[in-house]
Structure formats: structure tokens, C-alpha cells
Amino acid sequence: MDRYGRATEPESQPTQDPAGARDAPRPPSVLRTALGVLFSIGVLALATWLISLTVGGFAYATKLAGVPGTFVATRCHTTGAGKARVRTCRGTFTSVDGGLVDHSASIDNANVDVGKPAQLRRESGGGYTQPRAATAALEVAGTFGIVAGAAVLLCVPCVMVRRVRIGDGVPVGTNPPPWGFLLRLLPGLFAGFLVLAALSLVAALLIGVVGALI
């Protein structure tokens, strides 16, 4: 009642905007966070393993690893056709120091002719590889491609967090840390390493063409 004894209506209380409540960032889900962490660990582990293979291939291709020696093919034969075509040569590999002689050595798709000595490297697993600049460039392209792929996949757990908002005119960088920073960093890494992979692949193709013409 007012001072004259008249009844007054109670003041209306402010109501919460349902739309605003829906737009408010929600706390991160424990389950989603756990899944995101496991996914990230899996991606990093797989990328590390694949990169170790390409680094090993690069080391053999550039004569930084393996046992050097001379291979003399006694016979070569080709199987398959088209892209599945494989030329296999078998013969004897003798290491430079003479401490290793393998009469059952074989290598696939190498620049080897029957009866003509060729320089090969014996790998730690017992196989053989031929050092070539084109192969080294392909291994570099593979490494860059793996990093680019990992960067894309690591965006998935970042988006899984329920506090992250994408679209609706919301800048990615305004998301809470570290998600805003990662969502700006990872696409840049993907684009950069993808370009490097493409350039390395082109270099490998050019080296291969030039080598075939010489």
C-alpha cells in the first residue's frame, strides 16, 4: 500500500532470458574431456610412429644410416602390371668392409641391372635400399603430410569441449584458453605443412624425371 492507503501491485521481478541461458557457456563435460585426451594421445602416438618410419627412410636414402655395400644381381623378374608392377632383383650383397656377404639379397624397384654392381644400403631389419635423392624428397613430403594430418585431427578434441563455440559470428580466438589458441594455431600448422608436403612432392617428381633423363 502507498502512503494514502491504496493497494499497489508488487514490483515485477526480472526474469531470466531463456535464450541467454542457452547461449551461456556450459562447463566442460568430464566424459568428453577424457575422450578428447585419449583421442589426442592416440593421434600423437600414431603420428610419432609414422614420422619415425619416414625419418628412417630418409636416413637410408641419404646414406646416413645402414651398412654400405655392393650388390650384384644374378636375376631380375617383374610381377604385376600397371601401378602394381614390381621388379625384383636377387643376387649377392657384399659390405664395404667385407664383413658381410649375403648371397640371397633381394631388392624391389631399384635401378639395378643383372651383372652390374650397384651401391645399396643394408637396413637394420635385413632389407636393402638404394640411396636416391628422389626417395629422400618423398620421405620429407611424407613427414610434412603426417604433421599436417595430425594438426587437422587434433582440432576434433578441441571442438568437442562444450565451452567452445564455433560460428554465429563468434571469433575463434574468443573461446576460453587453451581452446581458442589451439583452434587458431592448428589450422595454420595444417596449411603450412600441407604446402611444404606439396613442394617436397613436386621436388621428388622433378628429381625422378631428371634422374631418368640423365
Side-chain angles (χ1 to χ4, degrees):
M1 298 180 67
D2 59 12
R3 60 179 180 176
Y4 300 106
R6 294 176 297 186
T8 58
E9 296 181 358
E11 295 182 0
S12 59
Q13 298 294 329
T15 58
Q16 186 176 9
D17 183 10
R22 286 195 302 267
D23 293 338
R26 293 175 291 177
S29 168
V30 175
L31 177 60
R32 287 193 179 192
T33 301
L35 292 175
V37 170
L38 292 176
F39 182 83
S40 300
I41 292 175
V43 169
L44 293 175
L46 178 61
T48 301
W49 176 67
L50 292 175
I51 289 175
S52 69
L53 297 180
T54 58
V55 169
F58 177 83
Y60 288 122
T62 54
K63 302 180 181 181
L64 296 176
V67 178
T70 302
F71 173 76
V72 179
T74 56
R75 64 185 186 277
C76 295
H77 67 280
T78 302
T79 58
K83 293 183 178 181
R85 184 173 179 269
V86 178
R87 180 174 181 267
T88 302
C89 292
R90 302 181 185 277
T92 300
F93 174 83
T94 305
S95 63
V96 172
D97 59 8
L100 172 65
V101 178
D102 184 3
H103 295 287
S104 59
S106 67
I107 187 170
D108 295 335
N109 298 328
N111 186 19
V112 173
D113 295 322
V114 175
K116 294 184 178 181
Q119 301 301 312
L120 300 184
R121 311 286 288 194
R122 180 180 172 90
E123 301 175 353
S124 58
Y128 295 90
T129 186
Q130 188 174 40
R132 287 188 286 192
T135 302
L138 282 175
E139 298 293 355
V140 171
T143 301
F144 289 149
I146 292 168
V147 176
V152 171
L153 292 176
L154 289 175
C155 288
V156 175
C158 293
V159 177
M160 286 174 59
V161 180
R162 301 176 72 180
R163 290 186 299 179
V164 171
R165 299 177 60 189
I166 304 295
D168 298 330
V170 179
V172 172
T174 60
N175 282 296
W179 315 117
F181 171 75
L182 290 175
L183 287 173
R184 285 186 299 178
L185 173 66
L186 293 174
L189 288 178
F190 164 74
F193 279 97
L194 186 63
V195 170
L196 292 175
L199 293 176
S200 300
L201 183 59
V202 171
L205 295 176
L206 292 177
I207 293 172
V209 170
V210 173
L213 296 176
I214 296 177

